[in-house]
Amino acid sequence: MNKIHNLEIYKTINISDMYVKLYEEIKEVASAILLNNTENLAEELLDVIQCCYGIAYTRGINLGEHIEKHNKKLLSRGHKFID
């Protein structure tokens, strides 16, 4: 099952707290990259993705619905899907 969980918690925090949370998660991604910690990097990247989904959720944006549109835009610019 590939679902994003716990988005409701984002409705309880203000925009400043969302910014801080996202910033903290991005710093953890940067640290994993700098330390070449591939195992931890996957977890930290997923934390960033969940945070972004949570922020979008509070704004009434369903990112899942926008992925196809975004992919079409990238394809029109010459990007390719990874096989």
Side-chain angles (χ1 to χ4, degrees), residues 10-23 51 54-56 58-59:
Y10 287 91
K11 288 187 174 181
T12 66
I13 60 177
N14 64 41
I15 192 68
S16 295
D17 292 337
M18 286 181 209
Y19 172 84
V20 170
K21 173 114 175 96
L22 180 59
Y23 182 70
C51 189
I55 293 167
T58 66
R59 300 295 188 261

Side-chain angles (χ1 to χ4, degrees), residues 5-66:
H5 298 281
N6 298 324
L7 296 179
E8 285 292 324
I9 194 167
Y10 287 91
K11 288 187 174 181
T12 66
I13 60 177
N14 64 41
I15 192 68
S16 295
D17 292 337
M18 286 181 209
Y19 172 84
V20 170
K21 173 114 175 96
L22 180 59
Y23 182 70
E24 291 296 321
E25 299 298 351
I26 290 170
K27 287 192 315 185
E28 291 173 4
V29 167
S31 177
I33 291 168
L34 291 172
L35 296 173
N36 198 28
N37 187 340
T38 305
E39 185 176 315
N40 186 248
L41 178 59
E43 181 180 335
E44 301 306 341
L45 287 168
L46 289 168
D47 285 346
V48 169
I49 291 168
Q50 182 164 6
C51 189
C52 290
Y53 263 82
I55 293 167
Y57 177 75
T58 66
R59 300 295 188 261
I61 299 167
N62 181 333
L63 290 180
E65 294 175 357
H66 291 272

